[in-house]
Amino acid sequence: MPSSRTPSPSRPGDERTTDLIRWAAFSCVLVPVVLLWYGTSLAGAAGTALGLAAVTAVCRLLLRQSERGAARSLPGNHPPPAHHRGRHQRTGTGVHRGGRHSGGNSPVG
């Protein structure tokens, strides 16, 4: 019998990310239950659950942002605008800008 869940044409890595988030959410429930089983206080287990949920939410956000960035860099998409170098298009430090130099360590020939 064919599966009722058919993969939809979505962003690359979307299914793996979804599975990862599901496992993380499962851990957010499982870890406090195990802590309670081994005698940790209810407040300690609740604090752990909240901490794990916060970390999971941040990781999910970063994964989604990374996927969007990867989708933008696929062939056919326009590259991001070039970085502006600043005033007078200078790069580097003052050593290579020209002008007078002190004698320094260079030999005189």
PDB file of all heavy atoms in Angstrom, residues 72-102:
ATOM      1  N   ARG A  72      18.904  30.983  -1.738  1.00  0.00           N
ATOM      2  CA  ARG A  72      19.246  32.187  -2.494  1.00  0.00           C
ATOM      3  C   ARG A  72      20.518  32.002  -3.300  1.00  0.00           C
ATOM      4  O   ARG A  72      20.703  32.641  -4.321  1.00  0.00           O
ATOM      5  CB  ARG A  72      19.420  33.379  -1.557  1.00  0.00           C
ATOM      6  CG  ARG A  72      18.107  34.078  -1.298  1.00  0.00           C
ATOM      7  CD  ARG A  72      18.352  35.314  -0.477  1.00  0.00           C
ATOM      8  NE  ARG A  72      17.945  34.942   0.875  1.00  0.00           N
ATOM      9  CZ  ARG A  72      18.471  35.407   1.982  1.00  0.00           C
ATOM     10  NH1 ARG A  72      19.434  36.271   1.947  1.00  0.00           N
ATOM     11  NH2 ARG A  72      18.034  35.017   3.152  1.00  0.00           N
ATOM     12  N   SER A  73      21.413  31.148  -2.840  1.00  0.00           N
ATOM     13  CA  SER A  73      22.681  30.971  -3.532  1.00  0.00           C
ATOM     14  C   SER A  73      22.624  29.883  -4.602  1.00  0.00           C
ATOM     15  O   SER A  73      23.643  29.563  -5.201  1.00  0.00           O
ATOM     16  CB  SER A  73      23.784  30.651  -2.524  1.00  0.00           C
ATOM     17  OG  SER A  73      23.553  29.388  -1.951  1.00  0.00           O
ATOM     18  N   LEU A  74      21.455  29.309  -4.854  1.00  0.00           N
ATOM     19  CA  LEU A  74      21.324  28.303  -5.902  1.00  0.00           C
ATOM     20  C   LEU A  74      21.527  28.942  -7.278  1.00  0.00           C
ATOM     21  O   LEU A  74      21.286  30.133  -7.455  1.00  0.00           O
ATOM     22  CB  LEU A  74      19.931  27.669  -5.848  1.00  0.00           C
ATOM     23  CG  LEU A  74      19.677  26.735  -4.667  1.00  0.00           C
ATOM     24  CD1 LEU A  74      18.231  26.263  -4.689  1.00  0.00           C
ATOM     25  CD2 LEU A  74      20.613  25.553  -4.700  1.00  0.00           C
ATOM     26  N   PRO A  75      21.971  28.157  -8.266  1.00  0.00           N
ATOM     27  CA  PRO A  75      22.156  28.699  -9.616  1.00  0.00           C
ATOM     28  C   PRO A  75      20.850  29.288 -10.145  1.00  0.00           C
ATOM     29  O   PRO A  75      19.775  28.764  -9.900  1.00  0.00           O
ATOM     30  CB  PRO A  75      22.571  27.487 -10.441  1.00  0.00           C
ATOM     31  CG  PRO A  75      23.052  26.485  -9.464  1.00  0.00           C
ATOM     32  CD  PRO A  75      22.336  26.760  -8.180  1.00  0.00           C
ATOM     33  N   GLY A  76      20.979  30.375 -10.878  1.00  0.00           N
ATOM     34  CA  GLY A  76      19.797  31.033 -11.409  1.00  0.00           C
ATOM     35  C   GLY A  76      19.351  32.206 -10.562  1.00  0.00           C
ATOM     36  O   GLY A  76      18.581  33.041 -11.009  1.00  0.00           O
ATOM     37  N   ASN A  77      19.809  32.269  -9.338  1.00  0.00           N
ATOM     38  CA  ASN A  77      19.478  33.395  -8.482  1.00  0.00           C
ATOM     39  C   ASN A  77      20.542  34.463  -8.628  1.00  0.00           C
ATOM     40  O   ASN A  77      21.684  34.196  -8.950  1.00  0.00           O
ATOM     41  CB  ASN A  77      19.386  32.959  -7.014  1.00  0.00           C
ATOM     42  CG  ASN A  77      18.210  32.038  -6.783  1.00  0.00           C
ATOM     43  OD1 ASN A  77      17.262  32.030  -7.555  1.00  0.00           O
ATOM     44  ND2 ASN A  77      18.270  31.263  -5.734  1.00  0.00           N
ATOM     45  N   HIS A  78      20.176  35.674  -8.379  1.00  0.00           N
ATOM     46  CA  HIS A  78      21.118  36.775  -8.489  1.00  0.00           C
ATOM     47  C   HIS A  78      22.037  36.797  -7.283  1.00  0.00           C
ATOM     48  O   HIS A  78      21.599  36.547  -6.162  1.00  0.00           O
ATOM     49  CB  HIS A  78      20.368  38.110  -8.591  1.00  0.00           C
ATOM     50  CG  HIS A  78      19.499  38.178  -9.806  1.00  0.00           C
ATOM     51  ND1 HIS A  78      20.008  38.261 -11.073  1.00  0.00           N
ATOM     52  CD2 HIS A  78      18.157  38.155  -9.948  1.00  0.00           C
ATOM     53  CE1 HIS A  78      19.013  38.304 -11.941  1.00  0.00           C
ATOM     54  NE2 HIS A  78      17.879  38.236 -11.283  1.00  0.00           N
ATOM     55  N   PRO A  79      23.307  37.126  -7.464  1.00  0.00           N
ATOM     56  CA  PRO A  79      24.225  37.196  -6.322  1.00  0.00           C
ATOM     57  C   PRO A  79      23.884  38.384  -5.440  1.00  0.00           C
ATOM     58  O   PRO A  79      23.281  39.357  -5.902  1.00  0.00           O
ATOM     59  CB  PRO A  79      25.598  37.378  -6.973  1.00  0.00           C
ATOM     60  CG  PRO A  79      25.311  37.960  -8.308  1.00  0.00           C
ATOM     61  CD  PRO A  79      23.969  37.437  -8.725  1.00  0.00           C
ATOM     62  N   PRO A  80      24.258  38.327  -4.172  1.00  0.00           N
ATOM     63  CA  PRO A  80      23.998  39.456  -3.288  1.00  0.00           C
ATOM     64  C   PRO A  80      24.805  40.668  -3.738  1.00  0.00           C
ATOM     65  O   PRO A  80      25.830  40.522  -4.408  1.00  0.00           O
ATOM     66  CB  PRO A  80      24.455  38.965  -1.912  1.00  0.00           C
ATOM     67  CG  PRO A  80      25.365  37.842  -2.197  1.00  0.00           C
ATOM     68  CD  PRO A  80      24.945  37.243  -3.504  1.00  0.00           C
ATOM     69  N   PRO A  81      24.357  41.876  -3.390  1.00  0.00           N
ATOM     70  CA  PRO A  81      25.100  43.065  -3.801  1.00  0.00           C
ATOM     71  C   PRO A  81      26.495  43.079  -3.190  1.00  0.00           C
ATOM     72  O   PRO A  81      26.720  42.570  -2.099  1.00  0.00           O
ATOM     73  CB  PRO A  81      24.255  44.223  -3.262  1.00  0.00           C
ATOM     74  CG  PRO A  81      23.384  43.634  -2.222  1.00  0.00           C
ATOM     75  CD  PRO A  81      23.196  42.197  -2.593  1.00  0.00           C
ATOM     76  N   ALA A  82      27.441  43.663  -3.929  1.00  0.00           N
ATOM     77  CA  ALA A  82      28.825  43.726  -3.468  1.00  0.00           C
ATOM     78  C   ALA A  82      28.935  44.627  -2.250  1.00  0.00           C
ATOM     79  O   ALA A  82      28.196  45.592  -2.101  1.00  0.00           O
ATOM     80  CB  ALA A  82      29.721  44.240  -4.586  1.00  0.00           C
ATOM     81  N   HIS A  83      29.877  44.310  -1.407  1.00  0.00           N
ATOM     82  CA  HIS A  83      30.094  45.095  -0.190  1.00  0.00           C
ATOM     83  C   HIS A  83      30.758  46.417  -0.554  1.00  0.00           C
ATOM     84  O   HIS A  83      31.723  46.460  -1.300  1.00  0.00           O
ATOM     85  CB  HIS A  83      30.978  44.312   0.777  1.00  0.00           C
ATOM     86  CG  HIS A  83      31.308  45.057   2.027  1.00  0.00           C
ATOM     87  ND1 HIS A  83      30.355  45.338   2.973  1.00  0.00           N
ATOM     88  CD2 HIS A  83      32.451  45.587   2.480  1.00  0.00           C
ATOM     89  CE1 HIS A  83      30.926  46.012   3.949  1.00  0.00           C
ATOM     90  NE2 HIS A  83      32.202  46.174   3.669  1.00  0.00           N
ATOM     91  N   HIS A  84      30.258  47.495  -0.008  1.00  0.00           N
ATOM     92  CA  HIS A  84      30.835  48.817  -0.249  1.00  0.00           C
ATOM     93  C   HIS A  84      32.082  48.949   0.597  1.00  0.00           C
ATOM     94  O   HIS A  84      32.080  48.666   1.787  1.00  0.00           O
ATOM     95  CB  HIS A  84      29.821  49.904   0.122  1.00  0.00           C
ATOM     96  CG  HIS A  84      30.271  51.273  -0.241  1.00  0.00           C
ATOM     97  ND1 HIS A  84      30.977  52.056   0.618  1.00  0.00           N
ATOM     98  CD2 HIS A  84      30.126  51.988  -1.370  1.00  0.00           C
ATOM     99  CE1 HIS A  84      31.248  53.208   0.041  1.00  0.00           C
ATOM    100  NE2 HIS A  84      30.721  53.195  -1.180  1.00  0.00           N
ATOM    101  N   ARG A  85      33.169  49.384   0.002  1.00  0.00           N
ATOM    102  CA  ARG A  85      34.446  49.425   0.700  1.00  0.00           C
ATOM    103  C   ARG A  85      34.605  50.635   1.597  1.00  0.00           C
ATOM    104  O   ARG A  85      35.566  50.732   2.329  1.00  0.00           O
ATOM    105  CB  ARG A  85      35.588  49.392  -0.308  1.00  0.00           C
ATOM    106  CG  ARG A  85      35.681  48.085  -1.031  1.00  0.00           C
ATOM    107  CD  ARG A  85      36.876  48.096  -1.914  1.00  0.00           C
ATOM    108  NE  ARG A  85      36.880  46.911  -2.742  1.00  0.00           N
ATOM    109  CZ  ARG A  85      37.717  46.733  -3.723  1.00  0.00           C
ATOM    110  NH1 ARG A  85      38.607  47.653  -4.010  1.00  0.00           N
ATOM    111  NH2 ARG A  85      37.669  45.641  -4.436  1.00  0.00           N
ATOM    112  N   GLY A  86      33.752  51.589   1.492  1.00  0.00           N
ATOM    113  CA  GLY A  86      33.879  52.755   2.360  1.00  0.00           C
ATOM    114  C   GLY A  86      34.383  53.965   1.591  1.00  0.00           C
ATOM    115  O   GLY A  86      34.383  54.010   0.371  1.00  0.00           O
ATOM    116  N   ARG A  87      34.861  54.923   2.299  1.00  0.00           N
ATOM    117  CA  ARG A  87      35.275  56.194   1.737  1.00  0.00           C
ATOM    118  C   ARG A  87      36.440  56.016   0.768  1.00  0.00           C
ATOM    119  O   ARG A  87      37.446  55.399   1.089  1.00  0.00           O
ATOM    120  CB  ARG A  87      35.680  57.118   2.882  1.00  0.00           C
ATOM    121  CG  ARG A  87      35.962  58.506   2.444  1.00  0.00           C
ATOM    122  CD  ARG A  87      36.188  59.348   3.656  1.00  0.00           C
ATOM    123  NE  ARG A  87      36.464  60.708   3.238  1.00  0.00           N
ATOM    124  CZ  ARG A  87      37.223  61.529   3.907  1.00  0.00           C
ATOM    125  NH1 ARG A  87      37.775  61.146   5.029  1.00  0.00           N
ATOM    126  NH2 ARG A  87      37.410  62.742   3.466  1.00  0.00           N
ATOM    127  N   HIS A  88      36.332  56.548  -0.410  1.00  0.00           N
ATOM    128  CA  HIS A  88      37.356  56.562  -1.455  1.00  0.00           C
ATOM    129  C   HIS A  88      37.771  55.170  -1.910  1.00  0.00           C
ATOM    130  O   HIS A  88      38.864  55.006  -2.437  1.00  0.00           O
ATOM    131  CB  HIS A  88      38.600  57.346  -1.001  1.00  0.00           C
ATOM    132  CG  HIS A  88      38.300  58.757  -0.641  1.00  0.00           C
ATOM    133  ND1 HIS A  88      37.883  59.688  -1.556  1.00  0.00           N
ATOM    134  CD2 HIS A  88      38.348  59.401   0.545  1.00  0.00           C
ATOM    135  CE1 HIS A  88      37.687  60.841  -0.948  1.00  0.00           C
ATOM    136  NE2 HIS A  88      37.954  60.695   0.326  1.00  0.00           N
ATOM    137  N   GLN A  89      36.959  54.174  -1.668  1.00  0.00           N
ATOM    138  CA  GLN A  89      37.224  52.811  -2.132  1.00  0.00           C
ATOM    139  C   GLN A  89      38.563  52.270  -1.666  1.00  0.00           C
ATOM    140  O   GLN A  89      39.216  51.515  -2.363  1.00  0.00           O
ATOM    141  CB  GLN A  89      37.130  52.749  -3.668  1.00  0.00           C
ATOM    142  CG  GLN A  89      35.806  53.169  -4.217  1.00  0.00           C
ATOM    143  CD  GLN A  89      34.680  52.245  -3.816  1.00  0.00           C
ATOM    144  OE1 GLN A  89      34.856  51.048  -3.816  1.00  0.00           O
ATOM    145  NE2 GLN A  89      33.543  52.791  -3.465  1.00  0.00           N
ATOM    146  N   ARG A  90      39.003  52.651  -0.515  1.00  0.00           N
ATOM    147  CA  ARG A  90      40.294  52.184  -0.006  1.00  0.00           C
ATOM    148  C   ARG A  90      40.151  50.812   0.617  1.00  0.00           C
ATOM    149  O   ARG A  90      39.170  50.504   1.256  1.00  0.00           O
ATOM    150  CB  ARG A  90      40.830  53.138   1.060  1.00  0.00           C
ATOM    151  CG  ARG A  90      41.236  54.456   0.501  1.00  0.00           C
ATOM    152  CD  ARG A  90      41.770  55.307   1.625  1.00  0.00           C
ATOM    153  NE  ARG A  90      42.159  56.606   1.112  1.00  0.00           N
ATOM    154  CZ  ARG A  90      42.360  57.649   1.887  1.00  0.00           C
ATOM    155  NH1 ARG A  90      42.199  57.547   3.186  1.00  0.00           N
ATOM    156  NH2 ARG A  90      42.722  58.802   1.378  1.00  0.00           N
ATOM    157  N   THR A  91      41.175  50.018   0.460  1.00  0.00           N
ATOM    158  CA  THR A  91      41.220  48.732   1.136  1.00  0.00           C
ATOM    159  C   THR A  91      42.534  48.640   1.886  1.00  0.00           C
ATOM    160  O   THR A  91      43.506  49.303   1.554  1.00  0.00           O
ATOM    161  CB  THR A  91      41.148  47.560   0.139  1.00  0.00           C
ATOM    162  OG1 THR A  91      42.238  47.666  -0.751  1.00  0.00           O
ATOM    163  CG2 THR A  91      39.854  47.558  -0.623  1.00  0.00           C
ATOM    164  N   GLY A  92      42.601  47.829   2.866  1.00  0.00           N
ATOM    165  CA  GLY A  92      43.843  47.599   3.599  1.00  0.00           C
ATOM    166  C   GLY A  92      44.102  48.672   4.641  1.00  0.00           C
ATOM    167  O   GLY A  92      43.251  49.472   4.986  1.00  0.00           O
ATOM    168  N   THR A  93      45.318  48.680   5.122  1.00  0.00           N
ATOM    169  CA  THR A  93      45.701  49.615   6.171  1.00  0.00           C
ATOM    170  C   THR A  93      46.580  50.710   5.605  1.00  0.00           C
ATOM    171  O   THR A  93      46.915  50.716   4.426  1.00  0.00           O
ATOM    172  CB  THR A  93      46.459  48.881   7.294  1.00  0.00           C
ATOM    173  OG1 THR A  93      47.613  48.294   6.709  1.00  0.00           O
ATOM    174  CG2 THR A  93      45.597  47.832   7.942  1.00  0.00           C
ATOM    175  N   GLY A  94      47.003  51.620   6.430  1.00  0.00           N
ATOM    176  CA  GLY A  94      47.771  52.765   5.992  1.00  0.00           C
ATOM    177  C   GLY A  94      49.140  52.443   5.439  1.00  0.00           C
ATOM    178  O   GLY A  94      49.750  53.266   4.769  1.00  0.00           O
ATOM    179  N   VAL A  95      49.680  51.270   5.677  1.00  0.00           N
ATOM    180  CA  VAL A  95      51.023  50.925   5.236  1.00  0.00           C
ATOM    181  C   VAL A  95      51.097  50.930   3.714  1.00  0.00           C
ATOM    182  O   VAL A  95      52.095  51.320   3.130  1.00  0.00           O
ATOM    183  CB  VAL A  95      51.427  49.544   5.790  1.00  0.00           C
ATOM    184  CG1 VAL A  95      52.762  49.100   5.240  1.00  0.00           C
ATOM    185  CG2 VAL A  95      51.458  49.582   7.299  1.00  0.00           C
ATOM    186  N   HIS A  96      50.023  50.526   3.046  1.00  0.00           N
ATOM    187  CA  HIS A  96      50.059  50.393   1.595  1.00  0.00           C
ATOM    188  C   HIS A  96      49.413  51.563   0.871  1.00  0.00           C
ATOM    189  O   HIS A  96      49.103  51.460  -0.294  1.00  0.00           O
ATOM    190  CB  HIS A  96      49.351  49.093   1.193  1.00  0.00           C
ATOM    191  CG  HIS A  96      50.001  47.895   1.773  1.00  0.00           C
ATOM    192  ND1 HIS A  96      51.180  47.399   1.307  1.00  0.00           N
ATOM    193  CD2 HIS A  96      49.652  47.100   2.814  1.00  0.00           C
ATOM    194  CE1 HIS A  96      51.528  46.341   2.009  1.00  0.00           C
ATOM    195  NE2 HIS A  96      50.611  46.135   2.933  1.00  0.00           N
ATOM    196  N   ARG A  97      49.200  52.659   1.522  1.00  0.00           N
ATOM    197  CA  ARG A  97      48.502  53.770   0.899  1.00  0.00           C
ATOM    198  C   ARG A  97      49.427  54.724   0.161  1.00  0.00           C
ATOM    199  O   ARG A  97      48.976  55.649  -0.467  1.00  0.00           O
ATOM    200  CB  ARG A  97      47.717  54.551   1.950  1.00  0.00           C
ATOM    201  CG  ARG A  97      46.519  53.792   2.441  1.00  0.00           C
ATOM    202  CD  ARG A  97      45.692  54.658   3.327  1.00  0.00           C
ATOM    203  NE  ARG A  97      44.596  53.887   3.892  1.00  0.00           N
ATOM    204  CZ  ARG A  97      43.884  54.274   4.899  1.00  0.00           C
ATOM    205  NH1 ARG A  97      44.132  55.434   5.480  1.00  0.00           N
ATOM    206  NH2 ARG A  97      42.913  53.539   5.348  1.00  0.00           N
ATOM    207  N   GLY A  98      50.706  54.571   0.248  1.00  0.00           N
ATOM    208  CA  GLY A  98      51.619  55.476  -0.433  1.00  0.00           C
ATOM    209  C   GLY A  98      52.077  56.579   0.499  1.00  0.00           C
ATOM    210  O   GLY A  98      51.879  56.548   1.699  1.00  0.00           O
ATOM    211  N   GLY A  99      52.722  57.581  -0.066  1.00  0.00           N
ATOM    212  CA  GLY A  99      53.212  58.679   0.747  1.00  0.00           C
ATOM    213  C   GLY A  99      54.614  58.384   1.240  1.00  0.00           C
ATOM    214  O   GLY A  99      55.272  57.437   0.826  1.00  0.00           O
ATOM    215  N   ARG A 100      55.085  59.210   2.133  1.00  0.00           N
ATOM    216  CA  ARG A 100      56.451  59.054   2.636  1.00  0.00           C
ATOM    217  C   ARG A 100      56.536  57.925   3.645  1.00  0.00           C
ATOM    218  O   ARG A 100      55.653  57.721   4.439  1.00  0.00           O
ATOM    219  CB  ARG A 100      56.916  60.347   3.306  1.00  0.00           C
ATOM    220  CG  ARG A 100      57.062  61.443   2.323  1.00  0.00           C
ATOM    221  CD  ARG A 100      57.864  62.533   2.937  1.00  0.00           C
ATOM    222  NE  ARG A 100      58.423  63.315   1.857  1.00  0.00           N
ATOM    223  CZ  ARG A 100      59.272  64.274   2.060  1.00  0.00           C
ATOM    224  NH1 ARG A 100      59.665  64.560   3.271  1.00  0.00           N
ATOM    225  NH2 ARG A 100      59.743  64.955   1.055  1.00  0.00           N
ATOM    226  N   HIS A 101      57.647  57.248   3.577  1.00  0.00           N
ATOM    227  CA  HIS A 101      57.904  56.179   4.537  1.00  0.00           C
ATOM    228  C   HIS A 101      59.140  56.534   5.325  1.00  0.00           C
ATOM    229  O   HIS A 101      60.069  57.122   4.809  1.00  0.00           O
ATOM    230  CB  HIS A 101      58.176  54.839   3.806  1.00  0.00           C
ATOM    231  CG  HIS A 101      57.043  54.378   2.978  1.00  0.00           C
ATOM    232  ND1 HIS A 101      55.926  53.784   3.506  1.00  0.00           N
ATOM    233  CD2 HIS A 101      56.822  54.431   1.630  1.00  0.00           C
ATOM    234  CE1 HIS A 101      55.086  53.480   2.543  1.00  0.00           C
ATOM    235  NE2 HIS A 101      55.610  53.862   1.392  1.00  0.00           N
ATOM    236  N   SER A 102      59.153  56.155   6.552  1.00  0.00           N
ATOM    237  CA  SER A 102      60.379  56.323   7.333  1.00  0.00           C
ATOM    238  C   SER A 102      61.361  55.267   6.851  1.00  0.00           C
ATOM    239  O   SER A 102      60.972  54.257   6.274  1.00  0.00           O
ATOM    240  CB  SER A 102      60.095  56.171   8.821  1.00  0.00           C
ATOM    241  OG  SER A 102      59.624  54.872   9.075  1.00  0.00           O
TER     242      SER A 102
END
